[in-house]
Amino acid sequence: MDIKTVGVIGAGQMGNGIAHVMALAGYDVTLNDLSQDALTAALAKIEKNMVRQVSRNLITEADMQAGLARISPALDVAALGTADLVIESATENEDIKNKIIEGIVPHLPEHTIITSNTSSISITRLAARTDRPEKFMGFHFMNPVPLMQLVELIRGIATDDETYQSCLAVVEKLGKTAASAEDFPAFIVNRILIPMINEACYTLYEGVGNVASIDNAMKLGANHPMGPLELADFIGLDTCLAIMNVLHDGLADTKYRPCPLLTKYVAAGWLGRKTGRGFYDYRGDVPVPTR
């Protein structure tokens, strides 16, 4: 199917990034959220990020103006009824995603492909909440969306090849690279990445090293651009914990047991950059390790 219009549900960090790249690629985008404040903030963030791209000669001023004009904010999910492709990008919580997906189905024409930007939740289970499991799949962007080149495409048990090929064509039009993953907990990237972060939490928890030594060891010893604890703060410790729980519950293997220290930080509300504190304290001019 030739996809021309895209609906994005959720105007948060991932949703506004997806709307950004879709609009620059020439798609007409409807960005939906329950909150007008969230929509207003998302549009401002998209424009700010596009201005940065113009300043770096990555896009032209004309590209930016055309891209911004293609994005239409909407509070009502009924506005998604014109979309050829819908990408759900709400918080990483299966109950919330199920309610959103069930709520949009009545508004969509038969040809619309429904996808989820979930980073870990079963595509097969989410698809079962729709009237078109064969037209449902995982469309997992990496954060930050405008910069990261990978998109994971995840087929549920019922996803047909036409749906996969249509989504693959979108990824290619975005100038990104697709990695095809099977529908197992956390797919490819987070199946490998999040347990590494969890192990870094255990290394801190057990006193093997402090925050600075763990991050420096991996940056300088393994050539990682960010240390695992710094990266956890960037992702959000609540998201890291949610993915570890999905792995632990879905695979029933004790090696995926979330670190108690990670659980404690989340319980304290120290979720990383977005709350000002995590493994680092971001409230000053320079991030300071909290352990």
Side-chain angles (χ1 to χ4, degrees), residues 183-221:
D183 186 22
F184 288 96
F187 320 128
I188 296 172
V189 173
N190 285 327
R191 173 76 177 262
I192 298 168
L193 176 64
I194 303 300
M196 183 198 76
I197 288 173
N198 193 55
E199 194 61 29
C201 294
Y202 269 113
T203 305
L204 178 63
Y205 177 61
E206 294 169 4
V208 179
N210 60 28
V211 169
S213 63
I214 291 167
D215 277 351
N216 285 333
M218 295 307 293
K219 285 191 287 188
L220 302 179

Side-chain angles (χ1 to χ4, degrees), residues 5 25 39 58 250 254:
T5 56
L39 287 171
L58 298 175
T254 56

Side-chain angles (χ1 to χ4, degrees), residues 200-216 229-230 233 237 259-268 270 276-283 287-291:
C201 294
Y202 269 113
T203 305
L204 178 63
Y205 177 61
E206 294 169 4
V208 179
N210 60 28
V211 169
S213 63
I214 291 167
D215 277 351
N216 285 333
L229 301 175
E230 181 185 6
D233 277 357
L237 303 193
C259 177
L261 185 60
L262 176 61
T263 302
K264 181 182 287 188
Y265 269 70
V266 172
W270 292 19
R277 277 191 292 188
F279 291 113
Y280 292 84
D281 189 328
Y282 300 93
R283 294 174 298 173
V288 177
T290 53
R291 282 179 177 256

Side-chain angles (χ1 to χ4, degrees), residues 6 10 14 40 45 54 75 87 96 107 173 177 192 213 223 226 233 235 252 254 275 285:
V6 177
M14 295 302 294
T40 301
K45 180 72 176 293
V54 171
L75 290 169
I87 304 171
I96 291 173
H107 301 287
K173 188 173 179 180
T177 299
I192 298 168
S213 63
N223 206 29
M226 297 173 72
D233 277 357
I235 294 169
T254 56
T275 59
D285 295 334

Side-chain angles (χ1 to χ4, degrees), residues 118-124 136-140 142 150-157 159 164 168 177-192:
T118 178
S119 55
S120 62
I121 297 168
S122 168
I123 299 303
T124 298
F136 191 104
M137 70 180 304
F139 208 138
H140 180 215
M142 306 296 122
L150 184 75
V151 179
E152 283 184 313
L153 293 180
I154 308 104
R155 302 184 201 223
I157 195 170
T159 306
Y164 173 80
L168 179 61
T177 299
S180 297
E182 293 300 316
D183 186 22
F184 288 96
F187 320 128
I188 296 172
V189 173
N190 285 327
R191 173 76 177 262
I192 298 168

